[in-house]
Amino acid sequence: MSTDLAELGTTGSGHPLAGVVRGPVRLHPPEAFAFMRVAGRLAAQCLDMLASEVREGIATSRLDDLAREFALDHGAIPACINYRGFRHTICTSLNHVVCHGIPGERVLRAGDILNIDVTLIVDGWHGDTSRMYAVPPVKKAASRLMEVTWDAMMRGIAEIRPGRRLGDVGHAIQTFAESHRFSMVRDFCGHGIGRIFHESPNILHYGRAGEGIALEPGMFFTVEPMVNLGKPGVLVLPDGWTAITRDRSLSAQFEHTIGVTEDGAEIFTMAAPGLEQPWRAALGD
């Protein structure tokens, strides 16, 4: 789940998450990596499970039920339930919804693209991840948007290692997405994570190389770029959660939880083989 930048000096819009990521950056000891692997793996397995459930005619509320049942059956706590008033296990962001879509009675239809975002707590540690899914047939532009968003996230992650800076991560994501004539959402960012759901540092998905906080071993945070097919503007609906593109263009997002190691980055939320991009399997790619 992403963090709004409304109270962090950028272009936010009064979201319930605004201003929660302040303070010093926490450096976790080596033993904390083992706990994050467990939490991240279970969150990833939840999304693995949902890959076979995303199909035409299923309600997003049913996907939420399945995710909640999965979490409880595996001894985990759904982090989003009752988090600042949110009532569901997952966020379901359809088509022009950028993030924080609320599960409900809306059923999936042919041509839909869908981001599912889940955070599970295992023994007090948070695993936070999201992926794109699709209901075929999907237009070529939507497929390209999802592919570029995935590649942009992975290019950002490839920049993570001690001595690099957060600006290097954001710059890699932004320049790749914009080179394909898509736009970066700037109203939301990734965040530090661990025993606390949202904490410093703020992970911007745009920026200048060589600027920002220097990366150090023991940092845990999410990388979760949101990329729009049209313009970057975002509007939060009256429900206080659902963020949509102002021009109603399609939006896509992927998210991993990351730990900075002595020589690179560890992805805690890796999918099962073949499920990293479940939309591709649905389209037969």
Side-chain angles (χ1 to χ4, degrees):
M1 178 178 280
S2 57
T3 298
D4 191 305
L5 299 175
E7 295 182 10
L8 298 175
T10 62
T11 57
S13 47
H15 193 273
L17 292 178
V20 299
V21 285
R22 294 185 182 277
V25 176
R26 193 183 310 273
L27 298 181
H28 297 83
E31 55 267 26
F33 280 75
F35 292 103
M36 288 297 286
R37 290 183 193 115
V38 173
R41 185 182 307 117
L42 192 63
Q45 289 171 346
C46 182
L47 294 187
D48 293 346
M49 176 272 297
L50 290 175
S52 62
E53 301 293 340
V54 173
R55 59 185 182 274
E56 189 172 2
I58 192 168
T60 54
S61 60
R62 176 58 181 158
L63 298 175
D64 186 58
D65 290 341
L66 290 169
R68 183 179 64 256
E69 292 165 7
F70 177 91
L72 297 178
D73 287 347
H74 288 81
I77 298 171
C80 290
I81 294 181
N82 295 324
Y83 184 82
R84 296 180 175 257
F86 198 79
R87 296 184 177 183
H88 302 275
T89 297
I90 58 176
C91 298
T92 51
S93 300
L94 274 160
N95 298 326
H96 66 282
V97 178
V98 176
C99 61
H100 303 154
I102 300 173
E105 297 312 306
R106 163 65 152 88
V107 299
L108 300 185
R109 304 166 186 151
D112 281 340
I113 64 172
L114 170 68
N115 177 272
I116 300 179
D117 188 342
V118 66
T119 307
L120 299 183
I121 306 171
V122 182
D123 294 327
W125 296 84
H126 293 74
D128 188 0
T129 185
S130 80
R131 294 178 212 163
M132 294 301 299
Y133 301 76
V135 182
V138 170
K139 293 181 179 179
K140 184 177 180 179
S143 295
R144 186 64 178 148
L145 173 66
M146 292 185 285
E147 181 179 347
V148 167
T149 304
W150 165 264
D151 288 343
M153 176 184 68
M154 296 308 294
R155 284 171 180 261
I157 291 172
E159 293 292 324
I160 299 173
R161 57 187 179 273
R164 300 292 275 176
R165 293 185 175 272
L166 286 179
D168 298 319
V169 178
H171 180 75
I173 294 169
Q174 177 187 8
T175 54
F176 183 78
E178 292 180 350
S179 74
H180 291 274
R181 299 188 177 182
F182 298 132
S183 62
M184 293 303 310
V185 172
R186 300 189 178 212
D187 295 64
F188 298 92
C189 65
H191 53 88
I193 194 169
R195 284 189 172 275
I196 297 174
F197 194 173
H198 295 87
E199 62 179 349
S200 293
N202 305 301
I203 309 301
L204 305 183
H205 304 113
Y206 57 91
R208 295 181 180 179
E211 296 186 353
I213 296 172
L215 299 175
E216 299 181 58
M219 289 182 176
F220 295 162
F221 51 78
T222 67
V223 177
E224 46 181 310
M226 287 152 268
V227 179
N228 292 349
L229 186 62
K231 295 180 179 180
V234 170
L235 174 69
V236 176
L237 297 183
D239 63 31
W241 285 100
T242 309
I244 65 171
T245 56
R246 285 185 177 270
D247 60 7
R248 301 302 194 270
S249 64
L250 294 177
S251 187
Q253 179 189 21
F254 286 91
E255 176 183 13
H256 271 316
T257 297
I258 306 294
V260 182
T261 66
E262 293 292 335
D263 58 1
E266 179 175 349
I267 300 174
F268 296 126
T269 46
M270 288 294 292
L275 293 177
E276 298 91 348
Q277 302 177 66
W279 66 271
R280 296 182 69 94
L283 301 182
D285 289 355

